[in-house]
Amino acid sequence: MSNLEREPHETACGGEGEAAEGPVRELLAGRDVVLGGTRGIKVTRTLPGRERRMVGAWCFLDHYGPERATMSVGPHPHTGLQTVTWLLEGEVLHRDSVGSEQLIGPGRLNIMTAGRAIAHSEESVRPDSVIHGVQLWVALPSASRHAEPSFEHHADLPRLVAPGVQVTVFAGELAGLVSPARVHSPLTGAEAAFDDRSAITLPLRPDFEYAVLTLSGEVEADGTRLTPGPLLYLGSGRSEIALASAGQGRALLLGGEPFEEEILMWWNFVGRDQQEIERFRKEWEQGAAFGDVGGTALARIPAPPLPTIRLKPRGRRR
């Protein structure tokens, strides 16, 4: 899913010196957002948040479900980012303006690289079915943010299996496992699924910053018990992370090198300044630069009006 708020706020983040320079434990509350282009789907958004706006290049994190709902998100634009769709339950049909049409289910990865400009739609194949998952964005560095748009689907992902727990690496690398998905900055995206009372210690890179989000059940991360909702920001300087669960539970582990460039996010666009955001919006409203999404009967989503105040950087941390 994407940012369907009708009055989106700008968010500026990234830049040197904004990541924690050592290990921390910051419990970051999310905010509830009701998606305007869907029926019955409410998400908890923890990135960008009040205190932390990025973890490595990860700049957007929505967790939704499990609930019975219908996803119906018409064609809408993206620039300067990658969208990463990860489902625990349900199915979503993706279509985009480079000609992709792909059904995604649990344990499989959809990753769309917007580059200079792309449009896509997302919809449920079975109305009012149970859906549960996360939608993430990865900010693209300057070297690739104007690249040609593309789409990848990966059904076979590397997994680390230990007694009572399975870790799937869907983006970047972790514990010697490397996702086949193409990424444009050093990062980690993984899910740990616990079947029973079990624990695992995973190696980390001290130059990465990390965060953990529990998706279901209760998972303990670095001694902190987490239920679905808040994001635990762990900072950098760690060589390992201990995860444990007293029963069935799932957790998301995100990490990456601190993103050195400042970015400006507004609606579904990632740019560098107000002039770029204004241009992206104008091009979407004029309808040429982003292409057409074929095969869907869903209506194209118009861009919200820009705020009357100037969009300006505020840093990746308040």
Side-chain angles (χ1 to χ4, degrees), residues 13-16 54 139-145 258-263 272 316:
C13 40
E16 297 182 11
M54 296 183 78
L140 292 174
S142 290
S144 53
R145 71 188 188 97
F259 199 74
E260 295 183 354
E261 302 176 39
E262 281 197 345
I263 62 172
R272 295 300 186 269
R316 61 181 272 162

Side-chain angles (χ1 to χ4, degrees), residues 78-149:
H78 287 291
T79 61
L81 57 85
Q82 290 182 295
T83 65
V84 175
T85 303
W86 185 253
L87 293 179
L88 284 73
E89 294 182 77
E91 292 179 317
V92 174
L93 180 61
H94 164 98
R95 294 185 176 100
D96 62 42
S97 55
V98 299
S100 311
E101 181 172 321
Q102 179 64 56
L103 183 67
I104 183 175
R108 301 185 176 193
L109 174 70
N110 275 6
I111 181 166
M112 184 182 74
T113 302
R116 58 174 179 78
I118 200 170
H120 73 134
S121 65
E122 298 156 293
E123 54 191 297
S124 299
V125 293
R126 287 190 289 273
D128 297 319
S129 58
V130 175
I131 189 166
H132 185 197
V134 289
Q135 178 71 60
L136 302 126
W137 294 358
V138 182
L140 292 174
S142 290
S144 53
R145 71 188 188 97
H146 295 304
E148 290 298 306

Side-chain angles (χ1 to χ4, degrees), residues 275-286:
Q275 288 71 31
E276 278 197 337
I277 298 297
E278 290 174 347
R279 176 169 60 83
F280 297 152
R281 184 187 182 279
K282 182 178 179 180
E283 289 173 347
W284 173 245
E285 291 300 284
Q286 291 177 341

Side-chain angles (χ1 to χ4, degrees), residues 162-197:
V165 60
Q166 177 175 273
V167 179
T168 304
V169 180
F170 58 81
E173 57 87 16
L174 176 69
L177 303 178
V178 181
S179 167
R182 185 184 180 193
V183 294
H184 298 264
S185 57
L187 52 79
T188 293
E191 182 205 61
F194 297 86
D195 292 331
D196 203 344
R197 180 182 296 273

Side-chain angles (χ1 to χ4, degrees), residues 8-10 264 266 274 278 305-312 314:
H9 300 288
E10 85 278 11
L264 184 61
W266 179 82
Q274 172 149 342
E278 290 174 347
L306 283 162
T308 55
I309 61 172
R310 185 170 183 81
L311 306 180
K312 59 182 180 179
R314 294 180 295 177

Side-chain angles (χ1 to χ4, degrees), residues 54-75:
M54 296 183 78
V55 177
W58 301 100
C59 60
F60 184 93
L61 170 54
D62 275 357
H63 177 209
Y64 51 92
E67 62 179 308
R68 193 170 295 278
T70 299
M71 185 180 295
S72 181
V73 183

